[in-house]
Amino acid sequence: MSHVPPEVLTLRAFDEPVSADVRAHLAGCEVCGAEVATLRRTVAVARESWSEAPPPAPPAALWDRIVAGLSDDDAAALGPITSDPGPRELPAPDADADRGTPSGGASHDAAGSAHRAEGSVVELRPHQRRAWWAAAAAVAAFAIGGVATIAVQQPGSTVLASTELEALADVEPGQARLVETPEGLAIEVDVTGLPEVDGFYELWLLDTEVTSLVSLGPLEGAGPHLLPAGLDPAELPVVDISLEPFDGDPNHSGDSLLRGVLDELDGADRA
Amino acid sequence: MAAAIRGSVRRFPASPGPDGYGSEVLKADGPPQELLGTVFADGDPEVLRATYEAWGGLVLAYCRRSLADQHDAEEVTQQVFLEAWRGRATYDSSKGALPTWLMGIARNRVIDFRRQQHRRPTPVEAPADTSSSAEPELERVADRLLVADALRDLPEQRREVLRLAFFDDLTHTDIALRLELPLGTVKSHMRRGLASLRNRLGEEAR
């Protein structure tokens, strides 16, 4: 028979039963046999790794020492030295209690620690000052097929940043994502249960000082709501949804219902 | 216009606290950490900063475990990032993950550091030279930390599928029933999840 499909090799690495044909092939084929052996080693390491606590955030002072070792040009390009945002607290140990995780003995404990690990990684998530990801996104546009871990929201769209939209009024919180689509950068929004109103909902990008803003137009479901070409979302990282009356005034009504700051775009301001 | 918005800020004070950023959402969609490798060799120092913020803690934790002294660990971590930056042109993202490459540098720096330590005048009861006998252990620690990092990067559902396969000894059929997912989805999660973890392992383990 021809080589064993990857999914069957994976099942074999988990010691699931496979057909006699597959077993015979694996016994005789170096390529497939080596693949299963590697996957088994991966399974073994992963079982050990599950309970690893996430490492603490790297100290800002150490980064400053690294910068001191860079060339003058590189160091200058990085601008002034950052201040240490300090450690943040881990989420409560029972933070995963309501996630519908099937429970059971030691494995549940393992899962619990992994959830905690995840939480802290998110909270210590790095924030960069400049949009290096714009260059990276251009690379990703053609590399996407090969990089399995890039989150793909829709065919052809790559998530560059995301945020929880906090409810500023009596509405359900939501989420927003900055995505790279074939047509350009866009915002996708997940909000549910916005009440029917006498007026309409409008999507905006603001700067963190809330002094400048750009309208992305009326909220049309999830979107994508395209950004005007050339707009740098790092300058306007705040996603805002407002309630606008039908008054013919194109300005923001001042009535913001939901707001969130795109992660990875606003580090300098929140640190 | 801006004043009107400020007014709304006053009415609804809105600075998202640490809990305002939903971990599931962030993790599932993820910032483009994986993209760092694709631009690392380009020479933008901001990429080095983002790399340090993404994996500096990982490298430091590895050095800390291997050297047992925080000061030494920080010194070696500094060396690792400077060496990575100087050698960035030699990094090829198609050959391996960036954190794995960093950990390879870290392993060599740790070994060098230990050797230098042993060349210094030492007290009579100095421990025997452990640098060569401990190398397989160094590899193991690196793999554990790298795979743990990759596990945290997995989408929630994929990680849950792997957890059931790793620890509950469920077959893919059992998992599909338990999570009410199509069989094909479960098999795909298992294959892609395991491939993500394997992609982080050092060369020797692959």
Side-chain angles (χ1 to χ4, degrees):
Chain A
M1 67 182 277
S2 56
H3 286 311
V4 178
E7 284 183 356
V8 179
L9 292 176
T10 302
L11 294 181
R12 192 65 195 137
F14 279 101
D15 287 327
E16 291 205 23
V18 292
S19 71
D21 280 356
V22 168
R23 281 200 306 276
H25 177 86
L26 288 176
C29 175
E30 270 187 36
V31 176
C32 291
E35 180 70 10
V36 170
T38 302
L39 292 175
R40 280 188 203 276
R41 273 198 298 281
T42 308
V43 170
V45 175
R47 283 193 169 119
E48 288 180 12
S49 303
W50 203 275
S51 56
E52 281 282 345
L62 180 52
W63 170 247
D64 295 343
R65 282 160 60 189
I66 292 169
V67 173
L70 294 175
S71 72
D72 290 349
D73 283 353
D74 284 347
L78 286 164
I81 276 173
T82 58
S83 61
D84 190 344
R88 304 212 187 144
E89 290 196 8
L90 296 177
D94 59 352
D96 61 329
D98 58 351
R99 297 187 199 186
T101 311
S103 60
S107 58
H108 179 65
D109 292 338
S113 63
H115 284 308
R116 287 194 289 280
E118 173 190 75
S120 82
V121 166
V122 168
E123 288 179 12
L124 300 170
R125 186 60 75 191
H127 301 282
Q128 76 266 30
R129 295 181 162 194
R130 283 197 290 138
W132 58 264
W133 51 262
V139 175
F142 60 81
I144 188 135
V147 187
T149 40
I150 296 173
V152 178
Q153 208 57 28
Q154 300 176 351
S157 108
T158 310
V159 176
L160 301 175
S162 59
T163 180
E164 192 92 337
L165 292 175
E166 191 184 7
L168 307 184
D170 187 20
V171 293
E172 293 285 310
Q175 285 106 37
R177 292 174 297 277
L178 176 68
V179 297
E180 169 92 1
T181 74
E183 288 79 40
L185 294 174
I187 297 290
E188 289 177 357
V189 175
D190 296 332
V191 287
T192 51
L194 284 180
E196 294 218 2
V197 287
D198 183 18
F200 65 102
Y201 297 105
E202 188 165 358
L203 181 63
W204 305 80
L205 291 180
L206 322 177
D207 68 356
T208 48
E209 282 79 40
V210 199
T211 51
S212 62
L213 76 175
V214 166
S215 171
L216 300 185
L219 191 66
E220 293 167 326
H225 302 82
L226 282 174
L227 273 59
L231 182 75
D232 180 2
E235 307 270 312
L236 300 170
V238 181
V239 178
D240 176 284
I241 295 174
S242 69
L243 173 59
E244 299 290 329
F246 289 119
D247 59 2
D249 182 350
N251 292 332
H252 193 294
S253 66
D255 197 1
S256 292
L257 303 183
L258 290 150
R259 191 178 283 177
V261 186
L262 288 165
D263 64 281
E264 296 297 299
L265 301 178
D266 66 322
D269 299 293
R270 270 202 307 132
Chain B
M1 175 161 73
I5 296 170
R6 281 208 200 87
S8 87
V9 174
R10 276 197 295 275
R11 275 192 289 139
F12 308 111
S15 55
D19 295 328
Y21 297 85
S23 58
E24 298 305 322
V25 173
L26 271 187
K27 206 57 192 180
D29 295 344
Q33 272 190 3
E34 289 295 328
L35 300 184
L36 281 167
T38 62
V39 289
F40 189 77
D42 293 353
D44 178 352
E46 286 294 341
V47 173
L48 182 65
R49 186 211 298 272
T51 302
Y52 175 76
E53 288 173 337
W55 294 298
L58 187 73
V59 172
L60 181 58
Y62 172 71
C63 294
R64 182 75 179 76
R65 281 194 208 180
S66 309
L67 297 169
D69 177 271
Q70 180 69 17
H71 181 264
D72 292 348
E74 291 192 7
E75 185 178 328
V76 173
T77 301
Q78 180 191 13
Q79 291 173 11
V80 170
F81 277 87
L82 288 173
E83 181 177 332
W85 191 239
R86 282 192 297 269
R88 61 187 181 270
T90 65
Y91 172 67
D92 180 350
S93 61
S94 70
K95 301 252 170 70
L98 185 54
T100 306
W101 186 71
L102 290 172
M103 290 290 249
I105 296 173
R107 174 168 164 269
N108 291 337
R109 290 284 72 77
V110 163
I111 291 170
D112 286 354
F113 191 87
R114 285 178 171 181
R115 287 186 181 142
Q116 279 172 9
Q117 293 276 299
H118 290 297
R119 260 192 244 116
R120 287 182 195 164
T122 46
V124 181
E125 289 177 64
D129 187 331
T130 53
S131 57
S132 54
S133 63
E135 281 173 30
E137 180 55 26
L138 285 180
E139 201 72 49
R140 203 175 135 90
V141 170
D143 280 342
R144 280 182 62 142
L145 290 170
L146 283 164
V147 169
D149 189 60
L151 278 168
R152 289 190 290 272
D153 280 348
L154 290 180
E156 174 67 23
Q157 192 180 69
R158 186 164 301 164
R159 190 177 47 241
E160 179 60 11
V161 166
L162 285 187
R163 188 185 72 76
L164 293 171
F166 286 151
F167 296 106
D168 288 12
D169 278 333
L170 298 185
T171 66
H172 68 284
T173 323
D174 298 334
I175 295 171
L177 285 172
R178 172 89 68 99
L179 299 181
E180 297 180 357
L181 291 172
L183 269 183
T185 304
V186 170
K187 281 198 277 192
S188 166
H189 278 321
M190 288 169 79
R191 176 176 67 76
R192 295 178 63 182
L194 204 55
S196 301
L197 305 185
R198 174 234 191 118
N199 183 42
R200 295 289 184 91
L201 289 180
E203 226 166 81
E204 289 80 357
R206 269 184 271 165

